[in-house]
Amino acid sequence: MSAGLIGALIGLAVAVVDFFALRLLASRVDLPETKRVLNITGLSQFVLLPVIGYFVAPLFTGD
């Protein structure tokens, strides 16, 4: 398994945890605009964090 793939999987795991944390935070907020922004941010992490992990992990391993 390549370092990029491992980094992407770690990024995906962090995105899942972050998604649930942001959903929990959104359930405690009163303003609908803030809830929407927190939900969109949580969903965008599913794309951003694996991509970042894919490119950053080889830098740490030297591949």
Side-chain angles (χ1 to χ4, degrees):
M1 200 184 276
S2 71
L5 186 58
I6 293 171
L9 290 175
I10 291 172
L12 184 62
V14 171
V16 169
V17 172
D18 190 35
F19 175 74
F20 286 116
L22 287 173
R23 294 283 295 189
L24 179 66
L25 181 62
S27 69
R28 296 180 179 186
V29 175
D30 292 332
L31 295 174
E33 297 88 9
T34 307
K35 287 183 181 187
R36 186 179 67 226
V37 168
L38 288 171
N39 289 329
I40 291 170
T41 303
L43 290 173
S44 69
Q45 299 299 323
F46 282 110
V47 175
L48 294 175
L49 290 179
V51 170
I52 292 169
Y54 181 80
F55 289 111
V56 170
L59 297 175
F60 285 112
T61 61
D63 285 343

